Amino acid sequence: MRLQFGLTLLEMLITVAILAILVGVVAPSINSILVKNRVTGDINTLSAIAQQARFSAVNEQFDVILCPTTNYDTCVSDWANAKMVFIDENTNGSRDSSEPLIASSDPLNSGNTISGISGAISFSEQGSISTSATITICPSSKDASYASALLLSLFGRISVAIDSDDDGVNEDLSGTALTCP
C-alpha cells in the first residue's frame, strides 16, 4: 500500500472557510485598535511638546510660545500642522530670527482632526497660561468614543481627558463628554 501525503480538496476548503471566518471576526477589532492608537499617538505628541513649552518657560524665566507652523518661522492658526516651541524674548507673540526654537513636533496624523483651539498658547515664566483650553483630537469618522483631549488649566497644568463616568466617552475639565465636531 502506498502512503499518501497532503490534503484532500475537502480538507483544504474547510481550512480556508475557517480562516475566512477568523479574519472576518478579527479585522474590525484591528481597525478599532489602529484608530485608538492614532488618536493616542497625537495626544502624546501634543502633550509632550506642551510640557516642554511649560518647562522651558519656568526654567528660562521668559514667555514661551507653543503654536502650529508650516515653516518653523511663523505661527499659523491650523493646529493640524506641525508645532513649534520658542522663547518669546521680546514678548511680541511671534518668532524673530534671534529667538531660539526649543522644540518642534510632527503634524497631526491625517486620519485625525483637531478642535478647540486656534492661535498660539503662551506660557508665562510661572508656567501659567492666560486661557484654559481643551484641545480635542478625533478620528476622521467623528466617533466620540475614540476622541481624546489635552486639557490645559490656567495654572498651566497639562492632563489628558479620561472617562470618569464609564460611559465610553472621555470628559473635559468640567466633566462634559467630549464631542467631535
Side-chain angles (χ1 to χ4, degrees):
M1 181 166 160
R2 258 174 57 192
L3 284 174
Q4 293 182 356
F5 296 100
L7 301 172
T8 66
L9 182 59
L10 181 60
E11 291 171 330
M12 186 63 78
L13 287 174
I14 291 172
T15 304
V16 169
I18 291 172
L19 283 174
I21 291 169
L22 286 175
V23 167
V25 170
V26 173
S29 299
I30 291 173
N31 186 45
S32 165
I33 291 168
L34 292 174
V35 169
K36 285 181 185 178
N37 282 345
R38 277 196 309 261
V39 171
T40 300
D42 281 340
I43 283 290
N44 289 343
T45 299
L46 191 57
S47 176
I49 198 157
Q51 290 174 9
Q52 177 69 41
R54 183 174 190 257
F55 173 78
S56 297
V58 172
N59 192 45
E60 300 294 332
Q61 289 295 292
F62 278 105
D63 287 352
V64 171
I65 304 290
L66 166 62
C67 66
T69 183
T70 54
N71 59 11
Y72 300 99
D73 285 327
T74 58
C75 293
V76 296
S77 61
D78 183 5
W79 279 76
N81 290 315
K83 284 72 167 171
M84 70 175 173
V85 174
F86 63 93
I87 295 174
D88 191 18
E89 293 173 346
N90 59 5
T91 65
N92 66 354
S94 61
R95 183 167 182 243
D96 299 321
S97 60
S98 64
E99 295 172 331
L101 181 65
I102 296 172
S104 63
S105 72
D106 293 330
L108 195 70
N109 185 298
S110 62
N112 293 334
T113 61
I114 190 165
S115 62
I117 190 163
S118 63
I121 298 173
S122 177
F123 289 90
S124 73
E125 55 193 43
Q126 291 84 23
S128 62
I129 57 176
S130 60
T131 305
S132 61
T134 299
I135 305 170
T136 306
I137 296 182
C138 293
S140 56
S141 66
K142 307 290 186 197
D143 186 350
S145 65
Y146 295 119
S148 190
L150 190 67
L151 311 171
L152 303 167
S153 73
L154 290 174
F155 298 112
R157 181 173 177 254
I158 300 165
S159 58
V160 175
I162 59 169
D163 181 15
S164 58
D165 60 4
D166 291 327
D167 67 350
V169 179
N170 293 333
E171 291 87 29
D172 63 14
L173 288 171
S174 66
T176 305
L178 298 176
T179 59
C180 294

